[in-house]
Amino acid sequence: MKTKVCIIGAGPGGATAALQLAQLGIECIVVDKAVFPRDKVCGDGLSGKVLTLLERIDKGIGQRLQQAMFKMDSWGVTFVAPNRIGMDIPYRLNYQQDMSNPRGFVCKRIDFDNFLVDEIKRRSEIRLFEGVSIDKYELQPDGYLLSSKDGSFQVKADIVIVANGAHSGFTKDVAGIKMEPEHYVAGIRAYYKGITGLHTDAFIELHFLKNMLPGYLWIFPLPNGEANVGVGMLSNSARNKKVNLKQLMLDTLATDPVMKERFANAELVGTIDGYGLPLGSKKRKLHGERYMLVGDAGYLIDPFTGEGIGNALYSGRFAAQQAAAAIAANDYSDKFFEAYDNDVYRILGPELQVSTKLQKLIKYPWLFNLLMKMGSRNKQLKDLMSCMFHEVDLRKKLGKPMFYVKLLFNR
Ligand SMILES: Cc1cc2nc3c(=O)[nH]c(=O)nc-3n(C[C@H](O)[C@H](O)[C@H](O)COP(=O)(O)OP(=O)(O)OC[C@H]3O[C@@H](n4cnc5c(N)ncnc54)[C@H](O)[C@@H]3O)c2cc1C
């Protein structure tokens, strides 16, 4: 089989790349080792970026997602500092005045990813192969030959968009990017039902509990009274402290004075599963001759929030646009694909840098405590933090020492 573009992986990054290519009138082949619907270990939190990007590709996709029944509209975040002072920060100020257009959602990845795969199945320009793992990649003078382990599936592509997630063999073997524990988070996820004390407007909760630092516990409300509950911690910290994340979470839910009340009648649904989060806290080369790395395969997860779906979508769209440019120019060189990295880091770079700084703040729990204490009393600071969801320039302030000095003296 021959194709101009082959996309490895039909997760959010790969599916978005395929949809954008189709929108540009370019045919492609998408190969995924799983058969959809399939699960993916995740917090299931979708930020405003997801809808914005899908709407940019095709307004209809955005509308269909807005109408979907499997998602829970979420209007903000509750941060809980190690001193247990919490602060509710809405994504939009005065959001109660207009609740017709939610931008944040929580939805199980089995549903969201299947939604995207259904979207790619609607497009005649995209051929999807499910249940096929690409394990061999050979660069030949006229393209990449991609094959399954036993060679029963083969495709020859002018361009490869690598979107096969955190454990991508291509990323490791061809791009030479190795997992570094200081730029990688270990995460576990569980589904519970019957948790009490959830926010009425489905705010997602991030708990920076003392016993979990520098990691945190999240509770993200889902439809039907369920919630996604999990813990994430930098891999080097988890390793150094010899932490068993699953045990840490179960012990915390059973013994922490607040959590034990809230989980008193809660029931675990299914199993507790783990997966890695490759962080964008370090800039990497995301391309080479005839290929581009997208989403987790390109280490693009936000190091502070753990958000990777939005960044997978953005990079997927940029990769599709760059593939179109390469086809038009008939240039598949390493140099030509440099423009892809430039696009990714121009748009995502500033917030990845700010989040890398914020991630380091967790090492100073007292600072975090102070911020929450002041924010809970000071409406201006709370509003400022709300605006930070949209404005990276404002978020930059959080990473600067002068911000805290000014706060202390303006109390
Ligand atoms: C515990 C945890 C919590 C998280 N919470 C959040 C959150 O709340 N919000 C958020 O935005 N992000 C979160 N993330 C990050 C998010 O899950 C990822 O950033 C996102 O899934 C990246 O999408 P992707 O398309 O790059 O990769 P994936 O979603 O991993 O998709 C990769 C696809 O490639 C396929 N594949 C793999 N290998 C092959 C192969 N050899 N051949 C063919 N196909 C292959 C897989 O089957 C899969 O379908 C979390 C991650 C973890 C681990």
Side-chain angles (χ1 to χ4, degrees):
M1 236 177 339
K2 285 192 86 168
T3 181
K4 291 226 168 289
V5 187
C6 180
I7 302 172
I8 314 177
T16 304
L19 289 167
Q20 179 63 65
L21 280 172
Q23 213 52 12
L24 294 167
I26 297 171
E27 293 184 353
C28 69
I29 285 178
V30 182
V31 189
D32 200 293
K33 71 176 181 188
V35 175
F36 288 79
R38 62 105 181 87
D39 185 25
K40 155 80 178 79
V41 174
C42 186
D44 300 334
L46 306 192
S47 73
K49 266 187 194 169
V50 171
L51 198 58
T52 302
L53 205 274
L54 291 174
E55 282 169 347
R56 266 184 213 162
I57 295 175
D58 175 357
K59 281 224 160 1
I61 301 177
Q63 276 161 8
R64 288 188 282 280
L65 181 59
Q66 282 284 29
Q67 284 155 11
M69 297 305 290
F70 53 70
K71 67 180 177 51
M72 185 79 167
D73 299 339
S74 170
W75 295 94
V77 187
T78 302
F79 284 102
V80 181
N83 59 4
R84 306 228 64 128
I85 293 184
M87 182 157 47
D88 284 351
I89 304 179
Y91 295 134
R92 182 157 44 81
L93 294 179
N94 307 321
Y95 70 94
Q96 292 100 333
Q97 287 166 14
D98 175 14
M99 294 183 76
S100 61
N101 188 17
R103 307 305 289 176
F105 310 112
V106 185
C107 69
K108 289 188 178 177
R109 289 289 299 276
I110 192 164
D111 298 320
F112 177 67
D113 291 17
N114 198 48
F115 167 85
L116 289 179
V117 164
D118 279 346
E119 289 293 331
I120 69 179
K121 285 179 182 165
R122 296 166 83 106
R123 303 295 308 230
S124 58
E125 301 90 339
I126 308 170
R127 285 178 71 191
L128 171 68
F129 293 86
E130 298 178 68
V132 178
S133 178
I134 297 293
D135 299 309
K136 292 191 213 157
Y137 2 82
E138 188 189 328
L139 179 62
Q140 300 178 340
D142 59 341
Y144 251 105
L145 180 65
L146 305 169
S147 337
S148 58
K149 204 175 237 157
D150 62 3
S152 58
F153 180 93
Q154 282 201 327
V155 57
K156 181 80 170 277
D158 288 341
I159 301 169
V160 187
I161 295 182
V162 183
N164 57 345
H167 301 164
S168 167
F170 194 106
T171 297
K172 197 155 51 90
D173 302 338
V174 180
I177 300 176
K178 307 274 183 283
M179 182 273 205
E180 295 167 90
E182 62 275 34
H183 298 288
Y184 206 86
V185 160
I188 54 153
R189 173 222 64 187
Y191 290 115
Y192 279 87
K193 62 178 176 197
I195 305 167
T196 54
L198 296 171
H199 193 282
T200 41
D201 294 328
F203 279 30
I204 61 170
E205 301 174 33
L206 299 177
H207 297 263
F208 295 86
L209 301 178
K210 243 188 217 146
N211 64 325
M212 293 202 166
L213 294 174
Y216 61 84
L217 173 102
W218 68 78
I219 303 175
F220 291 179
L222 282 159
N224 306 321
E226 280 191 53
N228 180 315
V229 181
V231 173
M233 189 181 282
L234 259 184
S235 294
N236 60 352
S237 305
R239 223 180 254 182
N240 292 344
K241 296 183 173 184
K242 296 195 171 59
V243 178
N244 175 333
L245 289 183
K246 186 173 164 183
Q247 205 50 53
L248 177 66
M249 182 174 89
L250 290 173
D251 290 348
T252 305
L253 300 183
T255 58
D256 175 86
V258 175
M259 294 300 164
K260 92 174 174 203
E261 293 263 306
R262 295 186 61 190
F263 281 79
N265 297 311
E267 193 188 315
L268 177 68
V269 183
T271 52
I272 303 178
D273 299 306
Y275 211 74
L277 292 88
L279 304 180
S281 43
K282 180 176 163 184
K283 198 172 169 185
R284 296 173 170 90
K285 184 177 177 217
L286 303 177
H287 70 280
E289 184 179 348
R290 293 187 182 274
Y291 76 81
M292 288 168 280
L293 307 176
V294 156
D296 282 10
Y299 279 64
L300 287 173
I301 295 184
D302 185 294
F304 183 60
T305 61
E307 182 195 350
I309 302 169
N311 292 354
L313 265 62
Y314 269 77
S315 54
R317 182 166 188 246
F318 286 139
Q321 289 167 333
Q322 191 55 31
I327 292 165
N330 195 26
D331 187 345
Y332 306 106
S333 63
D334 181 308
K335 178 96 190 107
F336 193 84
F337 289 112
E338 225 172 69
Y340 166 67
D341 286 35
N342 295 342
D343 283 341
V344 169
Y345 286 118
R346 183 172 44 82
I347 298 299
L348 303 179
E351 59 183 69
L352 288 174
Q353 279 170 13
V354 172
S355 288
T356 303
K357 286 196 175 141
L358 293 182
Q359 182 205 38
K360 298 200 164 69
L361 279 188
I362 307 175
K363 285 194 196 135
Y364 307 104
W366 60 269
L367 192 58
F368 207 173
N369 286 341
L370 179 71
L371 198 62
M372 290 296 149
K373 203 167 166 184
M374 294 170 72
S376 61
R377 294 187 198 142
N378 178 334
K379 185 171 178 314
Q380 254 175 320
L381 176 61
K382 215 167 138 175
D383 288 354
L384 177 76
M385 294 182 79
S386 208
C387 296
M388 281 176 183
F389 279 108
H390 312 284
E391 297 186 39
V392 179
D393 282 347
L394 278 177
R395 238 184 293 162
K396 274 186 191 157
K397 287 189 178 176
L398 272 181
K400 293 205 170 117
M402 264 325 271
F403 175 77
Y404 300 97
V405 175
K406 281 186 197 155
L407 268 184
L408 279 170
F409 290 104
N410 289 336
R411 259 195 296 182

